[in-house]
Amino acid sequence: MDIISREAMGNAARVGEFMLGRLRGWTQSHPLVGDVRGRGLMIGIELVKDKTTREPAAALRNRVETLAFERGLMVLGCGETSLRLSPPLIVSEQEATVALDILEEALTLVEKEHEQATALEAATA
């Protein structure tokens, strides 16, 4: 327990802030990211179809989760439209960067798929 108190908790706070710093920018750079919140390494990313109406994006969240898993990253759905990140307390900044790169790749793919589906719907309406 002493090691957890001395080292792991400090690492969780440090790496958690590192991750949150990068993720907070996603609310501006990714149209599906409505909110990012967290404490330490317990982090939530809310996905929405529309940032103004906060329309839930459950199917899109599930697709991001699947694509991330296919690329080697396990994230958990949480609530109706959020993703939960909960890496181990000993995760390094390098490992966190790899995880966030994978997650951002999956998110970007889903955003492109959603944009194409929306354009197709509008064209056939």
Side-chain angles (χ1 to χ4, degrees), residues 5 13 24-25 30 50 54-55 57 67 85 94 108 113 116:
S5 296
R24 285 187 182 115
H30 288 282
D50 182 293
R54 313 290 291 179
E55 180 182 352
L67 289 174
L85 305 180
Q94 181 181 6
T108 300
E113 291 173 358
Q116 290 170 348

mmCIF file of all heavy atoms in Angstrom, residues 5 13 24-25 30 50 54-55 57 67 85 94 108 113 116:
data_model
loop_
_atom_site.group_PDB
_atom_site.id
_atom_site.type_symbol
_atom_site.label_atom_id
_atom_site.label_comp_id
_atom_site.label_asym_id
_atom_site.label_seq_id
_atom_site.Cartn_x
_atom_site.Cartn_y
_atom_site.Cartn_z
ATOM 1 N N SER A 5 0.434 4.574 -2.429
ATOM 2 C CA SER A 5 0.307 5.927 -1.879
ATOM 3 C C SER A 5 1.422 6.840 -2.356
ATOM 4 O O SER A 5 1.177 7.984 -2.733
ATOM 5 C CB SER A 5 0.327 5.884 -0.350
ATOM 6 O OG SER A 5 -0.787 5.178 0.125
ATOM 7 N N ALA A 13 -2.199 11.338 -10.920
ATOM 8 C CA ALA A 13 -2.520 12.768 -10.985
ATOM 9 C C ALA A 13 -1.763 13.438 -12.129
ATOM 10 O O ALA A 13 -2.346 14.200 -12.909
ATOM 11 C CB ALA A 13 -2.185 13.448 -9.659
ATOM 12 N N ARG A 24 -9.127 17.980 -23.588
ATOM 13 C CA ARG A 24 -9.956 19.194 -23.519
ATOM 14 C C ARG A 24 -9.980 19.933 -24.855
ATOM 15 O O ARG A 24 -10.985 20.535 -25.220
ATOM 16 C CB ARG A 24 -9.490 20.095 -22.395
ATOM 17 C CG ARG A 24 -9.894 19.564 -21.035
ATOM 18 C CD ARG A 24 -9.585 20.538 -19.903
ATOM 19 N NE ARG A 24 -9.946 19.939 -18.635
ATOM 20 C CZ ARG A 24 -9.077 19.631 -17.674
ATOM 21 N NH1 ARG A 24 -7.783 19.891 -17.833
ATOM 22 N NH2 ARG A 24 -9.485 19.073 -16.553
ATOM 23 N N GLY A 25 -8.893 19.866 -25.585
ATOM 24 C CA GLY A 25 -8.837 20.487 -26.907
ATOM 25 C C GLY A 25 -9.763 19.824 -27.911
ATOM 26 O O GLY A 25 -10.142 20.437 -28.916
ATOM 27 N N HIS A 30 -13.033 18.422 -32.508
ATOM 28 C CA HIS A 30 -13.850 17.271 -32.914
ATOM 29 C C HIS A 30 -15.331 17.595 -32.732
ATOM 30 O O HIS A 30 -15.783 17.838 -31.611
ATOM 31 C CB HIS A 30 -13.482 16.030 -32.101
ATOM 32 C CG HIS A 30 -12.156 15.464 -32.478
ATOM 33 N ND1 HIS A 30 -11.962 14.708 -33.604
ATOM 34 C CD2 HIS A 30 -10.940 15.564 -31.885
ATOM 35 C CE1 HIS A 30 -10.703 14.360 -33.685
ATOM 36 N NE2 HIS A 30 -10.052 14.877 -32.659
ATOM 37 N N ASP A 50 -24.948 16.952 -31.821
ATOM 38 C CA ASP A 50 -25.027 18.402 -31.998
ATOM 39 C C ASP A 50 -24.654 19.055 -30.676
ATOM 40 O O ASP A 50 -25.294 18.789 -29.649
ATOM 41 C CB ASP A 50 -26.444 18.786 -32.426
ATOM 42 C CG ASP A 50 -26.595 20.267 -32.683
ATOM 43 O OD1 ASP A 50 -26.492 21.052 -31.717
ATOM 44 O OD2 ASP A 50 -26.841 20.634 -33.850
ATOM 45 N N ARG A 54 -27.195 19.132 -27.731
ATOM 46 C CA ARG A 54 -26.663 18.023 -26.908
ATOM 47 C C ARG A 54 -27.357 16.703 -27.233
ATOM 48 O O ARG A 54 -27.507 15.839 -26.382
ATOM 49 C CB ARG A 54 -26.762 18.322 -25.421
ATOM 50 C CG ARG A 54 -26.293 19.681 -24.958
ATOM 51 C CD ARG A 54 -24.850 19.896 -25.027
ATOM 52 N NE ARG A 54 -24.127 19.093 -24.056
ATOM 53 C CZ ARG A 54 -22.811 19.131 -23.971
ATOM 54 N NH1 ARG A 54 -22.131 19.908 -24.754
ATOM 55 N NH2 ARG A 54 -22.180 18.378 -23.111
ATOM 56 N N GLU A 55 -27.787 16.555 -28.493
ATOM 57 C CA GLU A 55 -28.470 15.328 -28.906
ATOM 58 C C GLU A 55 -27.536 14.132 -28.680
ATOM 59 O O GLU A 55 -26.398 14.133 -29.135
ATOM 60 C CB GLU A 55 -28.859 15.409 -30.382
ATOM 61 C CG GLU A 55 -29.577 14.170 -30.883
ATOM 62 C CD GLU A 55 -29.909 14.231 -32.368
ATOM 63 O OE1 GLU A 55 -29.727 15.289 -32.997
ATOM 64 O OE2 GLU A 55 -30.359 13.205 -32.882
ATOM 65 N N ALA A 57 -25.507 10.654 -28.845
ATOM 66 C CA ALA A 57 -24.886 9.970 -29.982
ATOM 67 C C ALA A 57 -24.476 8.554 -29.579
ATOM 68 O O ALA A 57 -23.327 8.160 -29.727
ATOM 69 C CB ALA A 57 -23.688 10.767 -30.476
ATOM 70 N N LEU A 67 -14.138 0.623 -32.965
ATOM 71 C CA LEU A 67 -12.938 0.922 -33.756
ATOM 72 C C LEU A 67 -11.693 1.008 -32.870
ATOM 73 O O LEU A 67 -10.612 0.563 -33.262
ATOM 74 C CB LEU A 67 -13.126 2.214 -34.548
ATOM 75 C CG LEU A 67 -14.106 2.148 -35.715
ATOM 76 C CD1 LEU A 67 -14.300 3.528 -36.327
ATOM 77 C CD2 LEU A 67 -13.648 1.146 -36.760
ATOM 78 N N LEU A 85 -12.400 6.428 -19.859
ATOM 79 C CA LEU A 85 -11.015 6.003 -19.891
ATOM 80 C C LEU A 85 -10.596 5.743 -18.454
ATOM 81 O O LEU A 85 -10.801 6.595 -17.584
ATOM 82 C CB LEU A 85 -10.115 7.085 -20.498
ATOM 83 C CG LEU A 85 -10.482 7.606 -21.876
ATOM 84 C CD1 LEU A 85 -9.486 8.670 -22.314
ATOM 85 C CD2 LEU A 85 -10.535 6.498 -22.886
ATOM 86 N N GLN A 94 3.952 8.185 -22.217
ATOM 87 C CA GLN A 94 4.130 7.592 -23.540
ATOM 88 C C GLN A 94 2.988 6.626 -23.855
ATOM 89 O O GLN A 94 2.426 6.646 -24.952
ATOM 90 C CB GLN A 94 5.475 6.880 -23.630
ATOM 91 C CG GLN A 94 5.733 6.255 -24.997
ATOM 92 C CD GLN A 94 7.062 5.524 -25.070
ATOM 93 O OE1 GLN A 94 7.764 5.377 -24.078
ATOM 94 N NE2 GLN A 94 7.408 5.056 -26.249
ATOM 95 N N THR A 108 -12.004 10.200 -35.285
ATOM 96 C CA THR A 108 -11.958 10.879 -36.579
ATOM 97 C C THR A 108 -12.641 10.050 -37.663
ATOM 98 O O THR A 108 -13.383 10.589 -38.493
ATOM 99 C CB THR A 108 -10.493 11.188 -36.966
ATOM 100 O OG1 THR A 108 -9.934 12.041 -35.955
ATOM 101 C CG2 THR A 108 -10.403 11.879 -38.308
ATOM 102 N N GLU A 113 -17.454 9.103 -41.136
ATOM 103 C CA GLU A 113 -18.587 8.240 -41.485
ATOM 104 C C GLU A 113 -19.912 8.963 -41.233
ATOM 105 O O GLU A 113 -20.825 8.909 -42.065
ATOM 106 C CB GLU A 113 -18.559 6.942 -40.662
ATOM 107 C CG GLU A 113 -17.452 5.997 -41.001
ATOM 108 C CD GLU A 113 -17.355 4.808 -40.061
ATOM 109 O OE1 GLU A 113 -18.148 4.718 -39.090
ATOM 110 O OE2 GLU A 113 -16.479 3.961 -40.283
ATOM 111 N N GLN A 116 -20.490 11.688 -43.855
ATOM 112 C CA GLN A 116 -20.898 11.096 -45.136
ATOM 113 C C GLN A 116 -22.345 10.615 -45.083
ATOM 114 O O GLN A 116 -23.109 10.826 -46.023
ATOM 115 C CB GLN A 116 -19.969 9.945 -45.522
ATOM 116 C CG GLN A 116 -18.578 10.397 -45.902
ATOM 117 C CD GLN A 116 -17.599 9.243 -46.054
ATOM 118 O OE1 GLN A 116 -17.873 8.114 -45.669
ATOM 119 N NE2 GLN A 116 -16.430 9.544 -46.601
#
